[in-house]
Amino acid sequence: MKQKLFKNYGIGVGIRSPHVMQFLNEVPKSIEWGEVVSENYMNWQSGLKPKAFSNLEKMREKLPVALHGVSMNIGSADPIDADYLKRLKELANSIEPIWISDHLCWTGVDGENIHDLIPVPFTKENLKYLSDKILKIQDFLGQRILIENVSSYFEYTNAEMTEWQFIKELTEKADCGILLDINNIYVSSINHSFNPIDFLKSIPLERVGQIHLAGHSVKDGYLIDTHDQPVCEEVWKLFQWTEQNLGFFTSMIERDGNIPDWRELEKEILRAHEIRNGVKSEFAKKITASI
């Protein structure tokens, strides 16, 4: 394998509002880094920082933090949103995140945000369009970004390659990183009947900066990436396969709905540690005894 482009920060969590005070008072011993949603902390009014920004600054003093966006709209036919990128860069300059990530999707057109993550067509034409766009984004931000594979519930009839082939070629052409969402791989594999291991085996590992572990829901026979349930057993097994066969990467638990109290959420974080360090490892025992 080629040399990795991104440092391994260990096991972390998506920091959401119900647990912010937990991190401001004392960072849990089970957490080695945290991720926040970029838009929640960006400056949306001229000269005014959101109230949450001071909390982010305090958390950043205590642990490494990554910025994860949902509105870069990389896959849209719309041009790059210069105002959005300017605000994002201001935030990044202020807190110096370990990296910036967003999704391989489109979220709107003609300036309208539909607040959903729509997959992109896997075509050669789109490959060039998106790689050029990502290169411009990275040039403006002054750093590589990570793009995340999204879950999908339909496929384009004009697709010329698989999703994993597209991601491999795109990230190499754009010289960017990958945020590998294992739950999204599993969800799409069930919805579209492919082997998730084929996806994982084909990813250029040197470009993987981060892994997401999340839960999903089942609606009308489809798996939906809702982030409001615990990580399912099938996703844990895929994470374990990844750790055993592909190596260790910066990884985290992502929960956006039905957020449980900290002790309940931390059980999933400890399970990730146990998979990484061996079941009932000394590290996991030590953390378990402290909570």
Side-chain angles (χ1 to χ4, degrees):
M1 186 182 75
K2 299 177 183 177
Q3 184 176 358
K4 291 183 179 180
L5 300 176
F6 302 94
K7 177 181 176 180
N8 182 1
Y9 285 91
I11 303 294
V13 71
I15 304 173
R16 303 297 183 255
S17 55
H19 302 139
V20 166
M21 290 309 299
Q22 177 85 36
F23 281 80
L24 292 178
N25 293 331
E26 183 180 5
V27 176
K29 292 182 174 62
S30 58
I31 298 301
E32 297 171 286
W33 69 285
E35 179 191 85
V36 298
V37 176
S38 307
E39 289 80 0
N40 290 344
Y41 299 91
M42 287 165 61
N43 171 15
W44 293 108
Q45 298 181 48
S46 180
L48 287 176
K49 284 185 168 59
K51 292 181 179 178
F53 180 78
S54 61
N55 289 337
L56 178 58
E57 283 186 310
K58 293 172 184 176
M59 289 187 289
R60 182 64 181 91
E61 292 173 358
K62 298 182 178 184
L63 79 168
V65 170
L67 292 177
H68 184 53
V70 295
S71 305
M72 197 175 288
N73 203 16
I74 292 172
S76 175
D78 283 0
I80 295 168
D81 186 337
D83 182 64
Y84 175 88
L85 281 190
K86 178 177 177 291
R87 297 174 194 275
L88 179 59
K89 187 172 183 177
E90 287 175 354
L91 176 61
N93 288 344
S94 296
I95 69 157
E96 298 181 346
I98 57 177
W99 48 64
I100 298 169
S101 64
D102 210 296
H103 301 80
L104 178 58
C105 70
W106 58 279
T107 57
V109 69
D110 291 335
E112 292 293 329
N113 193 329
I114 61 175
H115 301 287
D116 207 346
L117 308 177
I118 310 300
V120 301
F122 305 134
T123 65
K124 293 178 181 178
E125 180 183 12
N126 205 27
L127 196 62
K128 183 180 187 313
Y129 171 72
L130 292 182
S131 60
D132 289 345
K133 201 170 187 179
I134 292 171
L135 284 167
K136 291 176 183 176
I137 290 170
Q138 292 180 144
D139 183 61
F140 180 82
L141 294 175
Q143 61 181 281
R144 285 190 181 96
I145 63 170
L146 276 60
I147 59 168
E148 177 182 349
N149 58 292
V150 298
S151 57
S152 63
Y153 318 105
F154 65 88
E155 295 178 292
Y156 294 96
T157 57
N158 66 337
E160 297 171 345
M161 62 193 83
T162 63
E163 180 181 7
W164 50 91
Q165 289 170 333
F166 188 86
I167 289 175
K168 182 178 186 297
E169 290 199 39
L170 175 63
T171 55
E172 289 173 350
K173 286 180 180 294
D175 191 23
C176 65
I178 297 171
L179 196 170
L180 196 63
D181 191 309
I182 292 182
N183 177 67
N184 288 350
I185 293 174
Y186 176 70
V187 167
S188 294
S189 76
I190 297 300
N191 291 341
H192 303 312
S193 301
F194 65 78
N195 187 339
I197 300 298
D198 290 340
F199 192 123
L200 290 168
K201 283 181 176 179
S202 300
I203 290 298
L205 301 181
E206 71 278 3
R207 295 195 174 273
V208 177
Q210 182 182 331
I211 284 176
H212 271 175
L213 299 168
H216 58 263
S217 301
V218 180
K219 295 181 181 179
D220 299 325
Y222 285 91
L223 272 58
I224 310 295
D225 178 38
T226 52
H227 294 180
D228 62 358
Q229 300 295 323
V231 179
C232 74
E233 287 302 314
E234 290 81 4
V235 171
W236 281 122
K237 290 176 182 176
L238 285 174
F239 178 60
Q240 186 168 21
W241 185 93
T242 301
E243 296 272 292
Q244 291 175 343
N245 294 277
L246 305 182
F248 296 167
F249 304 92
T250 303
S251 303
M252 58 162 272
I253 301 295
E254 187 179 31
R255 189 74 173 261
D256 294 316
N258 295 327
I259 299 176
D261 63 37
W262 178 253
R263 287 180 178 271
E264 187 65 26
L265 184 62
E266 193 169 36
K267 291 178 182 178
E268 292 193 285
I269 296 161
L270 291 174
R271 184 165 183 182
H273 278 294
E274 289 179 352
I275 288 173
R276 177 156 297 184
N277 298 290
V279 177
K280 296 301 179 186
S281 67
E282 290 303 312
F283 179 71
K285 288 179 183 178
K286 181 179 178 182
I287 296 173
T288 303
S290 70
I291 63 174

